[in-house]
Amino acid sequence: MTDMRIPLAGVIGSPIAHSKSPRLQRYWLNTYGIPGYYVPMDVSSEDLEQVLHTLPKAGFVGVNVTLPHKEAVLGLADQITDRATLIGAANTLTFRNDGSIIADNTDGYGFLENLKTGAPDWVPSSGPAAVLGAGGAARAVIAALIEAGVPEILLTNRTRVRAEKLREDFGNRVQVVDWVQAGNIIEDASLVVNTTSLGMVGKPELRIPLDGFRKGTVVTDLVYTPLKTRLLQEAEEAECITVDGLGMLLHQAVPGFERWFGTRPAVDTATRAAALR
Ligand code: NAP
């Protein structure tokens, strides 16, 4: 392999056609005049290992990873960052020159950066955070909230045992609350986060009581299709500070782009527009 190769990167998942990452990364490549390419790759679980070992030989410098491979790639990586280990999943792989793989998880970083931008006055230590959902995204969100200094996380999930597992993994700052009590924890929280897929186009609506919203509470939804979910709409009506999920998607992509292509890209209005195009 020569040093003059054009850097290649991409996103691996299945299905992958819906991914906004290629549009976003190509926008940054164009904006910064970088002679690289970023491609979507639909890869089955059976082929994942072989593909990951072949890509570096073909000039790939790294890839993003999405469903259903975020956990499986940890078993194929040569080095795993502490935060990816804690979360139990990776979304950003970087290939070294010798083809070895570094696995990282930037979802928590993206989540916090999005909050910092969308709700700059939110102070993590100001009160409990209510987290709805206990899937893969919730793990990244909880790890980030704990690291940021949130004193208490009120966690609720339809399948309680999944939430209990997160309490086991993340410790006493996480308090598990029954799904039927979801409306109540909203009243007590200074930050409310939806990490379930409810409210997303094609999925059922998030049907928990939302009349407990207080003015000034920060409310964010990881769902970004639609951009304004019912949760965010009702929060806005209650004069909460709302932050949509698209910003998290944009911010989580920054570390990968910087590592692979050597430039730290900006997340601004034009970037949002490019991802939505
Ligand atoms: P996941 O691991 O499959 O978890 C799905 C979560 O949704 C679980 O808590 C699940 O509860 C809950 N859920 C699904 N259907 C439900 C229903 N009918 N009633 C109640 N709860 C239900 O998925 P994930 O990876 O965590 O992703 C969750 C959402 O976050 C997705 O919409 C994804 O697109 C979004 N996301 C956004 C970003 C971003 O950058 N904005 C990043 C990551 C993820 P059970 O445990 O009871 O099944």
Side-chain angles (χ1 to χ4, degrees):
M1 179 165 138
T2 69
D3 287 345
M4 298 307 289
R5 276 192 175 183
I6 288 176
L8 308 176
V11 55
I12 291 183
S14 190
I16 201 64
H18 67 284
S19 174
K20 291 193 188 301
S21 296
R23 226 170 296 157
L24 168 65
Q25 299 266 349
R26 286 176 195 160
Y27 167 76
W28 280 335
L29 286 168
N30 284 337
T31 301
Y32 297 105
I34 296 169
Y37 292 92
Y38 186 98
V39 290
M41 289 173 273
D42 195 325
V43 176
S44 69
S45 297
E46 301 81 71
D47 293 336
L48 182 65
E49 180 167 7
Q50 198 188 350
V51 167
L52 285 181
H53 287 130
T54 306
L55 288 177
K57 297 178 192 164
F60 276 77
V61 288
V63 286
N64 287 122
V65 181
T66 186
L67 300 177
H69 304 314
K70 286 174 125 179
E71 286 89 17
V73 292
L74 292 188
L76 302 170
D78 300 282
Q79 191 188 324
I80 304 170
T81 62
D82 289 347
R83 56 189 181 177
T85 303
L86 184 66
I87 294 165
N91 67 346
T92 306
L93 304 183
T94 303
F95 304 137
R96 290 204 195 90
N97 286 340
D98 63 0
S100 59
I101 301 169
I102 306 168
D104 191 13
N105 193 313
T106 64
D107 274 340
Y109 164 82
F111 169 74
L112 277 186
E113 285 302 302
N114 189 34
L115 269 188
K116 279 186 207 162
T117 313
D121 294 332
W122 173 66
V123 178
S125 61
S126 63
V131 175
L132 313 174
R139 293 187 75 90
V141 164
I142 291 171
L145 290 176
I146 289 175
E147 202 183 319
V150 170
E152 189 181 16
I153 293 157
L154 305 166
L155 175 64
T156 186
N157 192 49
R158 175 182 60 174
T159 311
R160 187 178 167 112
V161 62
R162 251 182 133 182
E164 301 280 6
K165 177 75 175 80
L166 290 198
R167 180 188 157 87
E168 244 174 75
D169 292 350
F170 289 98
N172 288 344
R173 262 201 264 175
V174 178
Q175 296 296 324
V176 177
V177 179
D178 264 345
W179 184 238
V180 287
Q181 302 289 331
N184 297 350
I185 60 173
I186 283 175
E187 287 173 32
D188 303 328
S190 53
L191 169 71
V192 176
V193 189
N194 176 39
T195 77
T196 74
S197 46
L198 296 173
M200 190 172 148
V201 171
K203 300 273 181 184
E205 197 47 87
L206 176 66
R207 292 245 166 260
I208 61 167
L210 296 175
D211 44 2
F213 276 141
R214 285 178 292 115
K215 184 178 172 179
T217 302
V218 177
V219 181
T220 184
D221 201 329
L222 266 54
V223 170
Y224 54 83
T225 45
L227 270 183
K228 195 182 280 184
T229 56
R230 171 179 171 253
L231 178 80
L232 294 186
Q233 198 160 336
E234 298 221 2
E236 208 175 271
E237 282 162 20
E239 295 182 65
C240 297
I241 297 152
T242 60
V243 184
D244 71 45
L246 182 64
M248 173 173 169
L249 181 83
L250 306 181
H251 283 287
Q252 63 78 32
V254 168
F257 187 93
E258 183 177 23
R259 268 170 228 155
W260 306 327
F261 301 116
T263 298
R264 190 167 184 83
V267 174
D268 51 19
T269 321
T271 312
R272 271 178 76 89
L276 289 172
R277 222 170 273 148

